[in-house]
């Protein structure tokens, strides 16, 4: 059964444009729909219209609009907009769109939502998310990547999703990346590659890796203490993984609105692609 991964949001949590910003890329994106980058999310769609969503961004309404342009998604006749959801962590770009699944909106029926034990506890204990649980709009299913040897979840036969614990600023919950069918690795948020000992092995063994590329370099963050920045810089990622691009595709994603690579014509974007990396585009499709 052919299955395709779509990058339905390649922005960092706030997307591009970001609310309140008057920076040049944000102003450009306000008048050019092609420059817009939605909140971070991917999904897996198969030929029968089954769709598994990874993270529910605040842009989920627009993301569903875009999915409806795909014949596979448009032919869905199911009650719920997705057949299952996985949440990586509780930073706003990755789960806040859940509000659209509740009583005032889609009113989903027992939509399966996989997440870590800590994330499940957070959703069950805090408004407004607890109401999604108590009303049965979502059904929490705990998967736990902490040991790294947890059995993959299987939303449907032929789709397996292995959660992988990664170090990332954990205010409310822990954070996971995922491996889809051991072919595609998705790590949208990580503090830095050196804090995750398995980073090189995981990237090397996957055909395609979608990696945290929030910031290009420290130049985007004047006056900030770099120790507080919980993301690797693209300049470091390129050094760390350049030799692996011979055998596998590495696609950078989760771009902050300040990141110069958001403009594919920028010298920074050209230097990244010249080094063998790809830059995520909205609705980019990757065959599994
Ligand atoms: Zn994020
Ligand atoms: Zn995060």
């Amino acid at each position: 059964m052919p299955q395709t991964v779509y990058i339905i949001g390649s922005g960092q949590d706030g997307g591009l444009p970001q609310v309140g910003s008057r920076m040049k890329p944000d102003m450009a994106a306000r008048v050019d729909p092609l420059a817009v980058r939605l909140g971070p999310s991917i999904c897996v769609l198969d030929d029968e219209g089954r769709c598994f969503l990874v993270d529910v961004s605040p842009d989920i309404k627009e993301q569903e609009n875009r999915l409806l342009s795909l014949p596979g998604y448009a032919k869905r006749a199911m009650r719920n907009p997705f057949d299952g959801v996985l949440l990586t962590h509780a930073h706003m770009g990755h789960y806040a769109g859940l509000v659209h699944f509740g009583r005032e909106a889609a009113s989903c029926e027992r939509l399966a939502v996989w997440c870590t034990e800590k994330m499940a506890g957070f959703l069950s204990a805090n408004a407004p998310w607890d109401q999604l649980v108590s009303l049965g709009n979502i059904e929490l299913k705990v998967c736990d990547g902490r040991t790294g040897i947890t059995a993959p979840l299987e939303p449907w036969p032929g789709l397996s999703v292995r959660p992988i614990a990664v170090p990332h600023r954990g205010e409310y919950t822990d954070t996971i990346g995922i491996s889809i069918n051991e072919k595609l690795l998705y790590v949208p948020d990580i503090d830095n590659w050196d804090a995750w000992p398995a980073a090189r092995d995981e990237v090397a063994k996957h055909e395609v890796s979608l990696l945290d590329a929030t910031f290009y370099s420290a130049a985007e963050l004047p006056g900030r203490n770099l120790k507080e920045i919980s993301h690797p810089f693209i300049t470091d990622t390129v050094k760390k993984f350049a030799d692996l691009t011979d055998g596998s595709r590495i696609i950078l994603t989760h771009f902050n609105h300040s990141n110069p690579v958001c403009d594919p014509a920028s010298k920074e974007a050209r230097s990244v692609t010249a080094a063998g990396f790809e830059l995520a585009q909205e609705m980019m499709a990757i065959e599994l």
Side-chain angles (χ1 to χ4, degrees), residues 223-270:
R224 287 278 294 275
N225 179 352
L226 296 186
K227 290 206 173 74
E228 293 169 4
I229 307 303
S230 47
H231 300 281
F233 293 125
I234 290 181
T235 47
D236 296 331
T237 303
V238 165
K239 276 186 213 143
K240 180 111 187 156
F241 298 130
D243 60 313
L244 300 179
T245 59
D246 283 342
S248 59
R249 293 176 69 187
I250 302 181
I251 303 173
L252 304 181
T253 192
H254 196 275
F255 304 126
N256 195 57
H257 68 123
S258 60
N259 194 324
V261 305
C262 287
D263 175 3
S266 66
K267 69 176 190 321
E268 291 87 353
R270 290 200 307 270

Side-chain angles (χ1 to χ4, degrees), residues 5 32 40 53-54 56 58 65 95 101 151 200 210 228 245 251 268 274:
V5 171
D32 178 6
L53 181 69
V54 181
V56 193
N65 288 345
Y95 81 107
F101 295 162
R200 270 189 75 82
L210 308 183
E228 293 169 4
T245 59
I251 303 173
E268 291 87 353

Side-chain angles (χ1 to χ4, degrees), residues 11-14 40 55 88-89 91-94 168-169 188-189 212 214 231 254:
Q12 173 265 9
D13 295 36
D55 285 339
T88 59
H89 65 305
H91 286 156
M92 73 85 152
H94 300 263
H168 179 54
R169 193 165 57 88
D189 282 83
D212 180 349
T214 308
H231 300 281
H254 196 275

Side-chain angles (χ1 to χ4, degrees), residues 152-283:
L153 51 116
E154 197 179 75
W156 58 74
L159 176 64
S160 91
V161 181
R162 174 170 59 94
I164 305 165
V166 294
H168 179 54
R169 193 165 57 88
E171 286 103 344
Y172 298 113
T173 67
D174 42 10
T175 299
I176 51 174
I178 52 165
S179 166
I180 300 177
N181 285 5
E182 297 300 320
K183 287 185 176 173
L184 184 141
L185 177 71
Y186 182 51
V187 182
D189 282 83
I190 189 164
D191 288 346
N192 66 75
W193 301 118
D194 292 335
W196 179 33
R200 270 189 75 82
D201 285 350
E202 289 286 0
V203 172
K205 77 180 186 190
H206 284 84
E207 290 172 18
V208 185
S209 296
L210 308 183
L211 302 183
D212 180 349
T214 308
F215 299 109
Y216 182 76
S217 72
E220 285 162 76
L221 302 155
R224 287 278 294 275
N225 179 352
L226 296 186
K227 290 206 173 74
E228 293 169 4
I229 307 303
S230 47
H231 300 281
F233 293 125
I234 290 181
T235 47
D236 296 331
T237 303
V238 165
K239 276 186 213 143
K240 180 111 187 156
F241 298 130
D243 60 313
L244 300 179
T245 59
D246 283 342
S248 59
R249 293 176 69 187
I250 302 181
I251 303 173
L252 304 181
T253 192
H254 196 275
F255 304 126
N256 195 57
H257 68 123
S258 60
N259 194 324
V261 305
C262 287
D263 175 3
S266 66
K267 69 176 190 321
E268 291 87 353
R270 290 200 307 270
S271 79
V272 169
T273 52
F277 293 77
E278 296 176 61
L279 297 167
Q281 301 299 327
E282 297 288 288
M283 293 303 281

